[in-house]
Amino acid sequence: MPDHQAPAAPAANDPKPAPAAKHDTDPRVAARGTGAPAAAGGVGAAAASATVPPVRAPIRTVMAGALLTMCLAALDQNIVNTALPRMVGDLGGMAHISWVVTAFMLCSTVTTPLYGKLSDLYGRRRLFFVAILMFLAGSFASGAAQSMGQLIAFRALQGLGAGGLLVLAQAAVGDVVSPRERPRYQGLFTGTFALASVAGPLLGGVITETLSWRWVFYVNLPIGALALVLVAIGLKPRPPGPSRPVDYAGAALLAGATASLLLLLAWGGTEFPWASTQSAGMVAGVVVLFALFLWRETRAAEPLIRLSLFRNTVFARGVTVGGMMVFAMMGSTVFLPLYFQLVLGMDPAAAGAMLLPQVVGMVLSSVIGGRIVSRLGRNKAFLLAGLGLEAVALASLAVFAYFGAAPAVFLVSMGLLGLGMGMGMPNLTTAVQNAVSQRELGAATGAMTFLRSLGGAVGVAASGTIMSSRLLAASHRIGGEVDVAAITEHGVKALAGLTAAQHLAVSDAYRTALTGCFLLSGVVMTAAFLLVLGLPEQTLRDGLDDAKGR
């Protein structure tokens, strides 16, 4: 990023937007201690910003550190996907394969609001250190895991750190970038996220083929070390602010409710029937815990999520659509490499390469679209176009999978999906942030990040449930011909000893199961498109301050 192009955020008491920075460290560039996008509190954050001196930070270094930490978290969410069959082959436990991803997503989801709140109290820099070190510890332990249970547990530890990486990266950028230029920077973040998350399966395939699946975790160690250095240089220690309570009770209730929901999705229809006392009990537990969380948030002095923000129509629909978008994306793409390997017979590297059109389309549309939106000052048309393309692409994946289309046909859908994601994700973030006052930007973005993470976790769990239930039904048809238990336990490796006819029967079972996952994603994305149709068109604000924000 050119040094002279980065905009500088105004100081906390400067009512006018600051001009573009001329050097890396502009004397007017100050990290607003609590006005960052990932902060969990709004009113409390505004009070703290009046008493805590602003921290000056070089824009280029902060952006580099934020982009790298975002890349680290996004890469690890997806680099594992291509290596999953090999992990199952070595460790066993095919029935629990979805939890390798779900455990990571669950822990990163429930910690996101808490990291935002703690960073207001102790500063972004200190929390960055905690998150990165926890993430790296989980990475090392995952690479050394000796059983599927250990791997899932260590992936959960990774997720506890990753929740901080995601929210603190956005917070740091919000500290130094003015809202007028934010669509342009959101495009850079979306492009980086695309390169990391969609190229992750390709890297995972290459690493798995040339080294071992364990190295998909060990590769995080040097990247994380570089991120630590950039954070240490770019973010200076912030003087401590006034003591404020943290809503740990709300965090515990939220974690319990989310975990209960994911367990219900993972076990319902497989471990016990949906129409059963176990299922009914878990549903009741989810409802009660969520109700207690909402009750707690209305009474907490510093709530994790400000429920009053949901009275804003644009914000309420925006964060809902954000969760639906990530639900659809994670619910489909997490199983695409498995489809390419088990059904189309590709090796891990080739399966990862099938996702390249998606990353190219996402990078192009996010970076170019972000610049265009910054100039026009309006983004609803781009948001609708992005969601529409995503809905069409996901529906076409279901059709192509159902009919067993050739690999080349899937490349078209992947390209359309990337173009839609590049236009949809950054513009939705901009629309939500533009709909709230500056003093509530932290609370709004914290809630949006949480619901996106929750949507992704639920999407993976729901698709995993569909796959497991359909495979279970198919096992009754092919159980007499092949050892279905061995295939369920060891995945790709168990296919090596099958005859051509047996291999065809197993592939057909996986094709039918994964078609259901793609279809669910297409339906959810279509519903998200319909919700956005009702959003009013708004002009993007030029500065950090507005009439509602003070």
Side-chain angles (χ1 to χ4, degrees):
M1 183 179 71
D3 298 353
H4 61 279
Q5 290 294 327
N13 58 356
D14 188 353
K16 298 181 180 180
K22 300 298 182 183
H23 304 285
D24 260 2
T25 308
D26 190 304
R28 298 182 65 179
V29 176
R32 297 164 64 94
T34 54
V43 176
S49 64
T51 57
V52 178
V55 180
R56 303 182 187 280
I59 294 177
R60 185 173 64 178
T61 306
V62 172
M63 284 295 298
L67 289 172
L68 188 59
T69 52
M70 173 73 77
C71 177
L72 191 67
L75 184 67
D76 205 77
Q77 286 183 17
N78 296 273
I79 196 173
V80 174
N81 296 340
T82 310
L84 284 176
R86 296 295 177 89
M87 294 177 188
V88 172
D90 287 348
L91 303 178
M94 178 67 178
H96 306 292
I97 188 174
S98 65
W99 277 101
V100 176
V101 178
T102 301
F104 181 95
M105 292 294 297
L106 168 62
C107 292
S108 63
T109 298
V110 300
T111 55
T112 296
L114 189 58
Y115 270 111
K117 179 64 68 176
L118 291 177
S119 69
D120 286 340
L121 297 176
Y122 303 109
R124 318 281 186 227
R125 188 173 187 264
R126 185 180 302 182
L127 268 295
F128 254 130
F129 289 163
V130 172
I132 293 174
L133 290 174
M134 190 178 298
F135 181 86
L136 295 182
S139 297
F140 180 81
S142 295
Q146 299 300 311
S147 68
M148 183 60 71
Q150 290 182 9
L151 180 60
I152 292 172
F154 296 143
R155 285 283 286 167
L157 177 61
Q158 269 191 309
L160 292 176
L165 300 183
L166 292 171
V167 69
L168 294 173
Q170 296 180 68
V173 173
D175 286 343
V176 298
V177 176
S178 66
R180 180 182 180 89
E181 299 295 325
R182 198 159 295 157
R184 189 158 61 93
Y185 287 94
Q186 287 290 349
L188 291 176
F189 267 85
T190 302
T192 300
F193 190 88
L195 287 170
S197 62
V198 185
L202 175 60
L203 294 176
V206 172
I207 292 172
T208 301
E209 287 287 300
T210 58
L211 297 172
S212 165
W213 63 263
R214 298 182 185 276
W215 280 92
V216 303
F217 299 109
Y218 293 148
V219 74
N220 293 329
L221 302 180
I223 300 175
L226 178 58
L228 276 174
V229 171
L230 289 173
V231 168
I233 295 173
L235 293 178
K236 304 305 179 184
R238 192 190 72 183
S243 177
R244 305 205 313 271
V246 179
D247 187 17
Y248 290 113
L253 289 170
L254 184 61
T258 306
S260 299
L261 175 60
L262 293 176
L263 286 172
L264 174 64
L265 292 172
W267 293 342
T270 54
E271 298 293 326
F272 48 78
W274 285 108
S276 65
T277 55
Q278 297 97 321
S279 180
M282 295 193 72
V283 169
V286 171
V287 172
V288 169
L289 287 172
F290 269 120
L292 287 174
F293 168 73
L294 295 176
W295 174 83
R296 170 65 186 177
E297 295 308 280
T298 61
R299 288 160 175 78
E302 293 284 348
L304 290 179
I305 300 176
R306 295 180 56 79
L307 301 182
S308 60
L309 289 173
F310 287 91
R311 298 170 186 168
N312 184 317
T313 302
V314 175
F315 171 82
R317 289 199 184 190
V319 297
T320 301
V321 168
M324 295 170 71
M325 288 176 65
V326 181
F327 176 106
M329 182 183 70
M330 294 300 297
S332 58
T333 57
V334 72
F335 291 116
L336 270 174
L338 192 62
Y339 177 88
F340 294 144
Q341 292 180 67
L342 293 177
V343 178
L344 300 183
M346 296 181 174
D347 57 46
M354 290 290 292
L355 304 181
L356 283 178
Q358 181 182 358
V359 66
V360 172
M362 193 170 178
V363 170
L364 289 177
S365 61
S366 63
V367 174
I368 297 175
R371 292 180 178 273
I372 294 175
V373 169
S374 292
R375 293 173 183 173
L376 295 178
R378 295 178 180 272
N379 64 357
K380 183 178 178 180
F382 282 83
L383 180 56
L384 284 173
L387 290 172
L389 285 175
E390 287 185 76
V392 171
L394 291 169
S396 67
L397 281 175
V399 173
F400 295 154
Y402 180 79
F403 289 104
V409 178
F410 283 89
L411 297 178
V412 177
S413 295
M414 299 311 298
L416 290 176
L417 183 61
L419 290 173
M421 290 170 62
M423 286 189 286
M425 294 181 69
N427 283 300
L428 186 64
T429 300
T430 302
V432 170
Q433 292 179 343
N434 186 69
V436 300
S437 63
Q438 181 65 24
R439 68 181 178 85
E440 292 189 308
L441 184 63
T445 308
M448 179 174 58
T449 303
F450 167 75
L451 289 177
R452 279 180 170 176
S453 297
L454 181 61
V458 175
V460 171
S463 293
T465 300
I466 291 174
M467 187 177 71
S468 298
S469 61
R470 293 202 174 189
L471 285 176
L472 183 62
S475 68
H476 297 301
R477 298 194 302 269
I478 62 176
E481 302 177 6
V482 297
D483 187 354
V484 177
I487 296 173
T488 303
E489 184 72 13
H490 298 290
V492 173
K493 284 190 174 182
L495 299 178
L498 300 181
T499 65
Q502 291 171 337
H503 192 288
L504 180 61
V506 173
S507 296
D508 184 67
Y510 273 98
R511 178 184 59 80
T512 303
L514 293 173
T515 296
C517 300
F518 302 149
L519 181 60
L520 173 63
S521 295
V523 170
V524 171
M525 190 60 69
T526 301
F529 175 83
L530 295 176
L531 280 177
V532 171
L533 279 176
L535 287 179
E537 180 74 86
Q538 291 188 332
T539 301
L540 301 179
R541 301 197 305 263
D542 288 338
L544 287 171
D545 298 301
D546 65 353
K548 299 181 294 181
R550 296 294 174 189

